[in-house]
Amino acid sequence: MSDAQYGRETQQTYRRAGFGAPVRRGSRPALVVVDLTRGFTEPAFPSGADLTEVVAATGELVAAARPAAVPVVFTAIAYTPAEAAGDAVTWLQKAQGMRSLVEGGEEVALDPRLPRSPQDHLIVKKGASAFFGTSLAALLTGLGCDTVLVCGATTSGCVRATAVDAVQSGFPVLVPRECVGDRAQGPHEAGLFDIQAKYGDVIDLKDAVGYLDGLPRTAP
């Protein structure tokens, strides 16, 4: 949290409240890649932005996860035609551009630049958090995970919501800053500020890769 960015008074207020303490890092992490689908990573789509660098950094982190058999979970938002066209999903009344995220469409496909493997998991969701209304918490528990690294888009929306619900589900959270992105810099930085203060550790990609590299290797 930077004095220059938010001011000394804000910094002092947050320190007095005891925010920003480091989280513990377990020995069985999982990597949750939130909504790096074409509809979010490509600027041609209504909800998209150019997240080329985020996709590349996330790919590097996924590669680092493989030798230690760290579970990788991808998420995607996808609506049925009825949900996309109607008013049953309240969120879509606010975020109209997301009505184009229809099941089977090109926008809900994972970005093809991501190194996805058959052993990776996929969670389809309807809201911001990867936990709300999904089986993600049960999946992570079943896999024996004790820490969650959160990547993806957008920092101020689905990434932050996922970080909040991960903590509320009992998982310490790490967010590699190079692996998350947003449509605009202001919301991105504000999201990282809030996550670092209250919900998880915002770390560098190098730190995240080092953490994974330090885990026990699996037998070839």
Side-chain angles (χ1 to χ4, degrees):
M1 290 180 283
S2 168
D3 286 347
Q5 186 172 5
Y6 291 102
R8 183 169 298 176
E9 182 177 354
T10 297
Q11 189 81 356
Q12 291 174 344
T13 298
Y14 273 64
R15 283 177 177 165
R16 185 171 64 250
F19 292 138
V23 304
R24 69 180 184 274
R25 301 185 182 188
S27 59
R28 183 60 176 162
L31 180 58
V32 176
V33 181
V34 179
D35 298 350
L36 287 185
T37 56
R38 294 184 61 197
F40 289 102
T41 63
E42 298 180 21
F45 296 113
S47 296
D50 184 2
L51 298 185
T52 298
E53 293 182 359
V54 173
V55 171
T58 300
E60 183 178 341
L61 195 62
V62 171
R66 301 300 190 198
V70 171
V72 178
V73 182
F74 292 97
T75 81
I77 297 176
Y79 299 108
T80 66
E83 289 169 335
D87 292 327
V89 181
T90 304
W91 192 20
L92 296 182
Q93 299 174 30
K94 184 70 173 181
Q96 294 282 325
M98 292 176 59
R99 291 185 182 275
S100 60
L101 301 174
V102 179
E103 292 176 346
E106 58 184 359
E107 292 182 54
V108 303
L110 292 178
D111 191 301
R113 295 170 292 184
L114 291 168
R116 187 183 179 192
S117 294
Q119 72 265 28
D120 296 335
H121 301 272
L122 176 66
I123 295 288
V124 177
K125 62 191 183 75
K126 308 292 184 178
S129 170
F131 287 87
F132 183 80
T134 77
S135 61
L136 180 56
L139 173 63
L140 295 176
T141 299
L143 291 169
C145 298
D146 57 10
T147 307
V148 175
L149 292 99
V150 180
C151 304
T154 62
T155 314
S156 61
C158 297
V159 168
R160 180 187 175 279
T162 297
V164 172
D165 278 359
V167 171
Q168 294 179 145
S169 299
F171 299 102
V173 173
L174 302 173
V175 178
R177 66 176 66 251
E178 295 93 336
C179 297
V180 295
D182 214 311
R183 301 176 188 88
Q185 192 66 18
H188 170 73
E189 294 295 342
L192 290 179
F193 179 95
D194 199 48
I195 292 169
Q196 171 63 32
K198 305 172 189 171
Y199 306 113
D201 285 355
V202 177
I203 62 176
D204 294 331
L205 176 59
K206 181 179 179 180
D207 186 6
V209 170
Y211 169 48
L212 297 179
D213 284 347
L215 297 172
R217 308 288 93 177
T218 59

